[in-house]
Amino acid sequence: MASDETRTEIRTKTRTEAGTETHAGTRTQGRAGDGASEVPGEASATRAWTTWRTRLLILAIVLAAVNLRPAITSLGALLEEVRDGLGMSGSIAGLLTSVPPLCFAVFGVTAPRLARRFGPGAVVCAGMVAITAGLLIRPYAGGTGGFLAATALALMGIAVSNVLMPVIVKRYFPDRVGSMTGLYSMALAFGTSVAAAATVPLTDALGGHWQPGLAVWAVLPALAVLPWIPFVRNRKAPAPTAPSMPRPEGERSAEKAAEQPPLRITRSRTAWALAVFFGLQATAAYITMGWMAQIFRDSGVSAGTAGLLLAVIMVMGVPLAFVIPRVATRLPHQGPIVVVLGVCGLAGYAGLYFAPVGGAWAWALLLGVSNCAFPLALTMVGMRARTGAGVAQLSAFAQSTGYLISIPGPLLVGVLYQHSGGWGLPIALMSALMVPQIVVGVLAGRDRTVEDEAGR
């Protein structure tokens, strides 16, 4: 009888304080003759399960991030060979370099809806499959149309993963937004730079034909599929805990926010500033990835060295993409970082115009610093909204709108290059776009959230 009373008292206290049953490792159990006791075996197993899933999720995020740019930079390194092989004009090649932001804008906006229906893990996993298929098909699709279609398939997978990365970080690691954003931004920069540096040597090692040199990059997304498989059925994206554990407060808050009407995101000035900033930095990034190697080659640099210079630009993002988000989350206003990155970009473009060969390595370093506006933009997406639902809306809006803004840039560079016969006008265009990027970046960096500006 005393045992039953003890068990009832313990259960009542637990339900009153927590509102649900306690963690499996701290659950009490009344037994006849000895009252209540803990179950350390269950606690240890639960902690091991939680640790394993957390580490697997971090690995999955890193591998996915590595695959978000090689489809683009590998093509930039071999753009001249692809143009000759497919018979492309400069304008068509410019259109090809505009395909990434177009696909990111069109497909990225669907990511939140797909995540709500299938779960973010399933969508990212499917995205890795699409990247794999697209990279395998496009070198052998035959003709410009097939090449563009296969490229679009790969970019579709990249687009949805682009949008969902900040969402996954906000929901799974709400107390480590800066460090986790830095980690996957660093992995993204690493994959970008490796593809830029290694594509030409790999192509030479595979016989000198551009088709296998591009197709070989399908190996990485195929590997990235594997760690996402355990998260495919996780539709609500709670913290990576065992099924028997209680749901954390972060998940309950996310679900409560999801039940509220969507934000009227277009009423937020911060959202618009962030979208334009994202678009202008994306313009600079895709011009760099699509054309910078060709700029160096036309200036007299060898193909291999041009690929290395592009790799230097991209590899600067590896350490800085980890440092900048951590610094940004400690500042009330991210405007000073925006200004520093913009000034580096202007200096790099000026050097590229006046001494493209003599100071090539210095200009590559400066442009690499400037390109780190991308991880800064991702960090601000996570900081400019309070809830997971708000981050999802802001991420989709900023990235989709931003990529729409960036579409004309690479295409216009190709047109200017073809009709002027040189790189003076394209470089002037890149420099001119850096000024409004600084202005809207300062506005987007102000300490406020879209929930405060956008009425429900």
Side-chain angles (χ1 to χ4, degrees):
M1 183 69 179
S3 175
D4 292 340
E5 291 176 357
T6 301
R7 182 166 58 250
T8 302
E9 181 181 352
I10 293 172
R11 184 182 298 111
T12 302
K13 183 177 180 181
T14 301
R15 292 181 184 276
T16 301
E17 292 179 351
T20 183
E21 290 184 1
T22 55
H23 189 291
T26 59
R27 188 175 63 237
T28 55
Q29 179 179 353
R31 289 181 294 188
D34 64 358
S37 61
E38 295 184 355
V39 187
E42 291 186 22
S44 178
T46 300
R47 284 194 296 269
W49 169 260
T50 302
T51 301
W52 178 82
R53 282 178 62 85
T54 301
R55 291 176 178 174
L56 184 64
L57 179 61
I58 292 174
L59 175 64
I61 290 172
V62 169
L63 288 180
V66 167
N67 287 283
L68 295 182
R69 293 300 179 271
I72 303 167
T73 51
S74 61
L75 176 60
L78 295 175
L79 184 59
E80 184 172 319
E81 288 76 9
V82 173
R83 286 175 58 188
D84 294 339
L86 298 178
M88 291 184 185
S89 66
S91 297
I92 296 297
L95 175 63
L96 182 60
T97 58
S98 294
V99 168
L102 174 62
C103 290
F104 292 168
V106 172
F107 298 119
V109 74
T110 66
R113 183 179 302 174
L114 292 173
R116 285 194 298 269
R117 181 172 181 180
F118 301 105
V123 176
V124 174
C125 185
M128 295 299 109
V129 173
I131 297 171
T132 304
L135 293 184
L136 277 176
I137 294 170
R138 75 173 179 179
Y140 307 103
T144 301
F147 189 93
L148 289 172
T151 299
L153 175 62
L155 295 173
M156 177 177 64
I158 296 174
V160 294
S161 301
N162 270 338
V163 172
L164 292 180
M165 282 296 170
V167 178
I168 290 172
V169 167
K170 183 76 170 182
R171 291 188 179 182
Y172 283 91
F173 306 97
D175 298 327
R176 290 183 283 169
V177 170
S179 59
M180 286 302 301
T181 301
L183 180 63
Y184 83 75
S185 297
M186 184 172 64
L188 188 152
F190 175 77
T192 305
S193 59
V194 167
T199 296
V200 172
L202 279 174
T203 302
D204 294 338
L206 294 172
H209 301 291
W210 62 267
Q211 287 92 339
L214 291 181
V216 71
W217 294 105
V219 174
L220 289 179
L223 293 175
V225 171
L226 301 178
W228 282 104
I229 293 175
F231 302 98
V232 166
R233 294 185 179 182
N234 192 0
R235 297 192 176 187
K236 294 183 179 179
T241 56
S244 59
M245 293 176 61
R247 296 182 304 161
E249 183 63 30
E251 180 191 348
R252 293 194 295 270
S253 298
E255 290 184 2
K256 182 178 179 181
E259 293 173 358
Q260 298 178 3
L263 291 169
R264 298 176 182 178
I265 200 74
T266 55
R267 293 188 176 184
S268 169
R269 294 181 180 180
T270 298
W272 277 108
L274 188 53
V276 176
F277 176 69
F278 199 100
L280 292 175
Q281 67 81 29
T283 300
Y286 288 110
I287 289 174
T288 298
M289 286 186 280
W291 289 109
M292 196 57 63
Q294 192 66 47
I295 292 175
F296 283 121
R297 290 177 71 170
D298 287 350
S299 300
V301 176
S302 67
T305 303
L308 287 175
L309 287 166
L310 178 59
V312 167
I313 295 174
M314 300 305 162
V315 82
M316 289 299 296
V318 175
L320 292 179
F322 188 71
V323 173
I324 288 176
R326 294 172 68 89
V327 174
T329 54
R330 288 172 169 79
L331 296 177
H333 195 310
Q334 290 74 47
I337 304 178
V338 172
V339 173
V340 170
L341 299 181
V343 169
C344 287
L346 289 172
Y349 290 137
L352 197 62
Y353 181 83
F354 290 107
V357 178
W361 296 100
W363 317 141
L365 288 172
L366 286 170
L367 292 174
V369 174
S370 179
N371 270 357
C372 288
F374 175 70
L376 177 61
L378 292 179
T379 305
M380 288 195 288
V381 168
M383 296 178 67
R384 297 287 89 89
R386 288 194 298 267
T387 65
V391 171
Q393 273 193 266
L394 179 58
S395 180
F397 174 75
Q399 294 200 44
S400 296
T401 304
Y403 284 127
L404 279 175
I405 292 171
S406 71
I407 290 171
L411 177 61
L412 186 56
V413 166
V415 172
L416 289 176
Y417 169 60
Q418 181 171 347
H419 290 281
S420 67
W423 289 105
L425 286 178
I427 292 174
L429 173 65
M430 299 178 216
S431 301
L433 292 176
M434 189 60 66
V435 176
Q437 177 180 320
I438 295 173
V439 173
V440 294
V442 170
L443 294 176
R446 294 175 298 175
D447 186 14
R448 56 194 63 192
T449 63
V450 293
E451 286 89 351
D452 295 330
E453 297 179 342
R456 292 188 181 276

